[in-house]
Amino acid sequence: MLKLPARSMGGNSLLEVLAGLLLMSFGMLSMAALQARLASQSEAIQLRARAWTLAQDLAERLRANPEGVAGGFYDGMWHASAHAPADRSSAAPACAEPCDPAEVARADRARWSAGASRLPGAAVSVARAPGSGTGGLVDIRVAWHGPVDGGEAPTPDADCPVPEGEGGPAQCLHLRVDG
């Protein structure tokens, strides 16, 4: 049996330890990057869910006030901050009983805006779908600023409102409802 001198094997274990540390460091950095990406995607998904809830809320308000939809009292684009009451805990503007469709629409805008305060730069546009006339189909588009949930930011369609302020890329959600 051939014995090698102990002196020639001294550096091998040090190299193995350094290689192990390098691999472990790479693994830990990869896990940290993955966690940061998941946190960003989680925020994007939460904002999209909040926008979807706001669009559904507005759709229900439109269905509850068909005269207001037919009268065009919801048509147009508005930013959440423009119609929100200064004191977000206060009720929507009061109207004389019974409220007319325009007053209901004004109160609905204020309530929607108060609820949209947690969506960065929230803006909404409401328009009758092309060719649907009065009543018919209504397009609701909700826009906001926020991170993108994977990949590049989609190009918002031309009819999307522009969100207020600055933040992440502009996001837009489109919902078509039967008014």
Side-chain angles (χ1 to χ4, degrees), residues 1-173:
M1 178 183 274
L2 181 64
K3 278 194 161 188
L4 295 175
R7 189 174 185 172
S8 67
M9 294 177 55
N12 284 342
S13 61
L14 182 59
L15 286 175
E16 290 170 358
V17 169
L18 288 175
L21 283 174
L22 180 67
L23 285 173
M24 190 171 75
S25 298
F26 179 73
M28 291 177 79
L29 285 173
S30 297
M31 286 179 57
L34 177 64
Q35 186 175 8
R37 185 172 177 177
L38 288 175
S40 174
Q41 287 181 351
S42 174
E43 181 184 0
I45 290 168
Q46 286 176 352
L47 291 175
R48 182 167 290 282
R50 195 171 295 144
W52 180 255
T53 301
L54 287 167
Q56 287 288 336
D57 176 64
L58 187 55
E60 291 304 317
R61 293 178 188 283
L62 294 174
R63 286 185 189 113
N65 187 10
E67 295 86 10
V69 173
F73 300 120
Y74 291 95
D75 291 355
M77 190 271 297
W78 72 88
H79 291 101
S81 63
H83 293 276
D87 175 15
R88 299 222 188 263
S89 65
S90 68
C95 59
E97 292 294 328
C99 296
D100 68 26
E103 291 172 322
V104 171
R106 190 170 37 259
D108 285 346
R109 283 183 177 217
R111 286 188 187 107
W112 184 91
S113 296
S117 65
R118 294 180 51 214
L119 193 63
V124 67
S125 71
V126 177
R128 289 187 193 92
S132 66
T134 57
L137 297 175
V138 176
D139 288 327
I140 299 172
R141 289 178 173 86
V142 178
W144 70 97
H145 287 294
V148 181
D149 58 348
E152 293 184 22
T155 305
D157 81 43
D159 295 325
C160 268
V162 177
E164 281 187 307
E166 294 184 16
Q171 305 285 319
C172 187
L173 180 125

